[in-house]
Amino acid sequence: MADLNYHHLRYFWAVAHDGNLTRTAERLNLSQSALSVQIRKLEERLGHALFERRGRQLHLTEAGRLTLDHADTIFAAGQDLIGTLARTGQIRQALRIGALATLSRNFQISFLKPMLRQDDVEIILRSGSAEELFAGMESLNLDIVLTNQLPPQDQASPFITHRIAEQKVGLIGSKQRVQGNRDLASLLEQNPVILPSSGSSVRQGFDALIERQGIRPNIAAEVDDMAMMRLLVRDDAGVAVIPPIVVQDEIATGQLWESDISLDLTESFYAVTMKRKFPNPLVGKLLAQDSL
């Protein structure tokens, strides 16, 4: 079996990072045709197309993304050799994670903590809307997406959904608002209430609960961002309907309290991956850890 030609790999690596064949050719002082030949030879050696052209743009295929990951590691190893001789440097594997912008930061940190402690892993974390994140995964720019919203599900869907945690939802507020009040109707009607937005599963469950009990809460705010809900309840704007993990630090210090009243509601958290021929092995390690 012929060895891999690392000159071909370096040319591919340069084009993949530049995203533009013309620009790379100019930078390397090569003709576009010569550069294309080098990449084509690499594709023939690997047995897979590495780029696909969409209009005038080059996009990595799945095999191209995998090859780029390995090329990053290979060429980082050269720098690592120099660094090792200079007593510095380390090879690191990249794990590209997307997180829903409104997702609890405390939950994200708790789930990612095992990976954050590994010196040989580089976490690349991006936040955005569900549409942006799922599009990023389809374009192979993300390996996994953390969300509390289920992605579109049908037979043609390329996504695999893993439920990684289920957190109870509580009534959180200042000590004077929640301590000693064991009646749900009184608590909700006597205090402003901070609710998640109407599109969330938690809000739908909460609305069904108060409808059954005939409760008419005094709604202070409807928020789709867990970080904003955390700030509002910390500022004593009312009692929040959220998972306690969102404000776990404030509860631990006594700044906020969780009511003894059970809502019998939970919020599910998901890790979404794609059906890929060459998945990032770090994804499997991340998902193999115990659920929260």
Side-chain angles (χ1 to χ4, degrees):
M1 180 181 291
D3 291 335
L4 183 67
N5 187 312
Y6 287 91
H7 288 295
H8 298 163
L9 184 65
R10 181 171 284 278
Y11 288 137
F12 157 78
W13 183 63
V15 173
H17 278 290
D18 281 345
N20 185 285
L21 190 69
T22 302
R23 184 164 55 243
T24 306
E26 291 176 351
R27 181 167 60 84
L28 298 179
N29 197 27
L30 293 170
S31 68
Q32 289 188 50
S33 59
L35 188 56
S36 296
V37 167
Q38 302 302 312
I39 293 175
R40 187 161 60 250
K41 288 181 178 179
L42 178 63
E43 291 178 325
E44 291 171 355
R45 174 66 188 86
L46 296 176
H48 293 278
L50 302 178
F51 292 105
E52 61 179 0
R53 185 174 292 278
R54 302 175 192 169
R56 296 185 178 181
Q57 297 295 319
L58 285 178
H59 293 265
L60 288 169
T61 63
E62 186 175 341
R65 170 59 65 184
L66 179 69
T67 302
L68 180 59
D69 286 345
H70 281 273
D72 284 339
T73 300
I74 289 168
F75 295 123
Q79 294 300 315
D80 183 63
L81 173 60
I82 297 172
T84 298
L85 295 176
R87 303 294 183 184
T88 62
Q90 185 177 40
I91 300 175
R92 293 164 67 83
Q93 297 174 277
L95 179 60
R96 297 175 296 275
I97 300 171
L100 194 66
T102 56
L103 199 64
S104 164
R105 284 8 177 211
N106 284 343
F107 169 77
Q108 293 179 48
I109 293 297
S110 297
F111 182 68
L112 297 175
K113 189 174 293 183
M115 280 294 177
L116 294 172
R117 291 173 175 169
Q118 296 189 26
D119 294 336
D120 60 343
V121 175
E122 178 183 0
I123 298 293
I124 301 169
L125 189 59
R126 300 283 184 264
S127 64
S129 67
E131 293 78 9
E132 291 169 336
L133 297 177
F134 294 143
M137 198 154 51
E138 287 192 271
S139 64
L140 306 179
N141 289 315
L142 294 174
D143 297 311
I144 188 170
V145 167
L146 302 180
T147 178
N148 57 358
Q149 300 177 14
L150 287 170
Q153 295 292 324
D154 55 48
Q155 290 186 343
S157 174
F159 302 123
I160 303 171
T161 302
H162 315 260
R163 190 169 74 172
I164 53 177
E166 188 173 80
Q167 299 283 338
K168 72 171 184 175
V169 175
L171 293 163
I172 310 295
S174 61
K175 182 178 180 180
Q176 59 268 28
R177 290 193 187 278
V178 303
Q179 189 181 39
N181 195 331
R182 299 183 180 276
D183 181 71
L184 179 62
S186 297
L187 179 63
L188 296 179
E189 291 171 354
Q190 293 174 9
N191 293 281
V193 182
I194 305 165
L195 295 174
S197 60
S198 57
S200 71
S201 59
V202 170
R203 177 61 183 276
Q204 292 169 5
F206 177 80
D207 287 347
L209 172 65
I210 61 174
E211 181 67 26
R212 289 194 302 270
Q213 299 195 21
I215 300 172
R216 296 294 178 262
N218 173 20
I219 300 176
E222 300 180 52
V223 186
D224 64 358
D225 188 337
M226 291 295 102
M228 180 56 70
M229 289 190 75
R230 180 184 185 187
L231 291 176
L232 287 171
V233 71
R234 282 174 53 178
D235 200 42
D236 200 24
V239 174
V241 178
I242 51 174
I245 191 174
V246 177
V247 288
Q248 60 184 7
D249 296 335
E250 289 81 357
I251 291 175
T253 59
Q255 182 180 358
L256 293 175
W257 286 62
E258 180 181 0
S259 171
D260 293 333
I261 300 170
S262 174
L263 294 177
D264 197 25
L265 295 176
T266 59
E267 180 170 26
S268 294
F269 296 87
Y270 307 96
V272 182
T273 58
M274 261 192 67
K275 300 171 184 175
R276 294 179 59 174
K277 188 174 182 180
F278 306 110
N280 187 332
L282 291 176
V283 171
K285 293 181 180 179
L286 183 63
L287 294 175
Q289 69 182 9
D290 292 335
S291 297
L292 296 174

